Amino acid sequence: MMKKSEIVSLATIVLVFSAMGIGYLIYENETQVQKNFEETVMITLTIDYGGVKPNETHSSTFTKGTTVFEITATFSELKIKNYSSLGILVEGINGVISNANLTNYYWFYYVNGELGDRASNLFSLEKNSNVLWKYEAFSG
Amino acid sequence: MVDFVTHHDFALIDSNRTREISLLIQIVAATVGTSYLLIFVPNVETITIGVFFMGFTFKTKFGFKTMLTTLIVWEMIATASYGFSMIAFPFKFLAWLLFFFAAKLAQKVNLNGNLEFAAIGSFCTVLWDAVATLSTAMVLSKTPEEFTAVYIASLILGIPFTIVHVATNTYLFFMFPYLLRSVVPHLRNKFPSLVEVSLNDEKE
């Protein structure tokens, strides 16, 4: 038979550890919110149709590492050509097609003002960025 | 003759003091040394159980001196490992003082059960963390208005560490009666004037 002081002590220990357990759940919840916040990036996507159609701008949060292609596909209908290991070439956005609506006009993308140096499905975004798709004359 | 007696008395007093200092050094070394072994395991330490032992076993004056020396030496050792925080030290000192008083209280009511000590250990460790975290909030909050919010956030973010601290201290305090039974009889034999606690086994 337990003494009264032992029962009180046991109750205290159970209470303290229960409080710790509840505390841990709060901690988990808080850090998950923080983690989710830290793992997302804010992306602004602008599509410049080169005067064929009015320009569009979209903003949203995405998981870090989302590619330019995935972000673009979220907001628009794409016509693509897959070059397997070289990546996916975007030939058309929302019905505006490379070298079709306007002669020698193609789709190029820019991330924070810099021309994309690889296929858009291979360009991952790790920080808040501005993505611009521009239908422009190919001068190369 | 008088000189001799005086000298003799002085020598005797000096001898008692030397013994007292020797005991103080041993207790400080045992407490700080065992804690230093665990310094890279976050929030696992033996300073708290050491402070409780000092408060529980020794007379108030000697226990307090030993605790103060332990905390100063420990801060010096800890400083060498992860830096000194001038703001944190007074709060940690206050928090350990809480354990010292809890030990004195436990000694007065002649506490001796494992569970009772474990309960004191777990409850006071939560308070220790709550008091010590005040310094974090003081450093991180820019205005007095945001102090409470920063303090609560610091408490929440420190919960995994608090759990480790509480769990290990609960275990150490649960084992406290075994520590007493193995150490106090020796202390009582060698330093009867410094030891205040009387164990139930000894009474019988």
Side-chain angles (χ1 to χ4, degrees):
Chain A
M1 189 69 183
M2 288 176 90
K3 287 189 292 180
K4 191 183 170 189
S5 65
E6 286 177 334
I7 294 168
V8 172
S9 302
L10 201 58
T12 306
I13 294 169
V14 169
L15 199 69
V16 166
F17 278 86
S18 303
M20 291 289 101
I22 294 166
Y24 189 74
L25 292 177
I26 295 170
Y27 166 82
E28 273 286 291
N29 189 44
E30 288 292 317
T31 48
Q32 193 57 47
V33 169
Q34 180 71 15
K35 205 173 163 190
N36 289 344
F37 178 73
E38 283 171 1
E39 284 180 355
T40 59
V41 285
M42 182 73 190
I43 304 296
T44 302
L45 172 73
T46 305
I47 304 173
D48 179 346
Y49 292 96
V52 177
K53 285 168 74 169
N55 296 349
E56 292 172 22
T57 300
H58 308 273
S59 288
S60 189
T61 53
F62 292 89
T63 311
K64 261 185 191 175
T66 305
T67 64
V68 170
F69 177 81
E70 288 166 332
I71 290 162
T72 313
T74 306
F75 298 109
S76 48
E77 287 281 321
L78 300 179
K79 181 175 184 250
I80 59 166
K81 199 164 193 179
N82 196 338
Y83 288 93
S84 64
S85 63
L86 287 174
I88 296 169
L89 175 70
V90 173
E91 291 192 322
I93 300 176
N94 292 331
V96 178
I97 312 297
S98 292
N99 202 25
N101 296 67
L102 294 173
T103 307
N104 201 37
Y105 269 60
Y106 293 86
W107 282 108
F108 296 92
Y109 76 88
Y110 298 80
V111 176
N112 298 324
E114 299 258 332
L115 181 65
D117 58 357
R118 69 205 91 154
S120 61
N121 67 313
L122 301 177
F123 198 112
S124 305
L125 297 168
E126 302 295 337
K127 59 180 185 181
N128 297 346
S129 304
N130 291 315
V131 175
L132 167 67
W133 277 98
K134 200 168 182 184
Y135 190 62
E136 60 186 346
F138 178 57
S139 58
Chain B
M1 188 67 179
V2 172
D3 282 346
F4 173 75
V5 171
T6 307
H7 178 74
H8 183 73
D9 281 352
F10 176 77
L12 194 66
I13 291 163
D14 188 50
S15 171
N16 283 340
R17 180 153 296 177
T18 307
R19 284 162 63 82
E20 186 183 317
I21 291 171
S22 158
L23 176 63
L24 186 146
I25 290 168
Q26 288 175 65
I27 300 288
V28 171
T31 311
V32 172
T34 48
S35 222
Y36 187 70
L37 286 174
L38 301 162
I39 197 162
F40 294 110
V41 187
N43 279 33
V44 179
E45 44 83 26
T46 56
I47 301 291
T48 307
I49 190 83
V51 166
F52 192 83
F53 177 82
M54 293 160 206
F56 193 84
T57 310
F58 300 117
K59 290 190 172 163
T60 307
K61 192 178 166 192
F62 180 75
F64 186 80
K65 274 195 288 188
T66 315
M67 179 192 76
L68 195 62
T69 314
T70 302
L71 299 187
I72 290 169
V73 173
W74 173 245
E75 276 309 306
M76 287 162 70
I77 300 274
T79 297
S81 297
Y82 44 69
F84 180 70
S85 170
M86 185 62 87
I87 295 175
F89 184 70
F91 288 96
K92 282 156 76 178
F93 178 76
L94 273 178
W96 270 312
L97 201 59
L98 177 83
F99 271 95
F100 188 81
F101 287 128
K104 280 279 151 226
L105 193 68
Q107 183 210 67
K108 294 281 178 259
V109 299
N110 202 22
L111 211 66
N112 57 20
N114 297 57
L115 273 177
E116 286 93 329
F117 283 116
I120 290 177
S122 63
F123 185 71
C124 289
T125 305
V126 174
L127 291 182
W128 192 100
D129 277 31
V131 174
T133 306
L134 284 169
S135 64
T136 311
M138 276 185 74
V139 171
L140 295 179
S141 56
K142 292 184 183 77
T143 58
E145 291 75 30
E146 65 180 34
F147 178 83
T148 311
V150 172
Y151 178 62
I152 291 168
S154 306
L155 281 178
I156 291 172
L157 290 175
I159 278 171
F161 297 101
T162 304
I163 290 173
V164 173
H165 202 195
V166 171
T168 52
N169 270 359
T170 304
Y171 174 73
L172 289 174
F173 275 73
F174 184 81
M175 304 302 281
F176 189 70
Y178 302 116
L179 176 74
L180 283 180
R181 279 200 283 275
S182 59
V183 176
V184 168
H186 299 288
L187 291 175
R188 185 179 288 292
N189 286 341
K190 290 181 182 171
F191 309 96
S193 62
L194 299 175
V195 176
E196 193 166 48
V197 69
S198 56
L199 302 178
N200 282 0
D201 300 358
E202 289 180 325
K203 280 176 184 170
E204 289 160 13

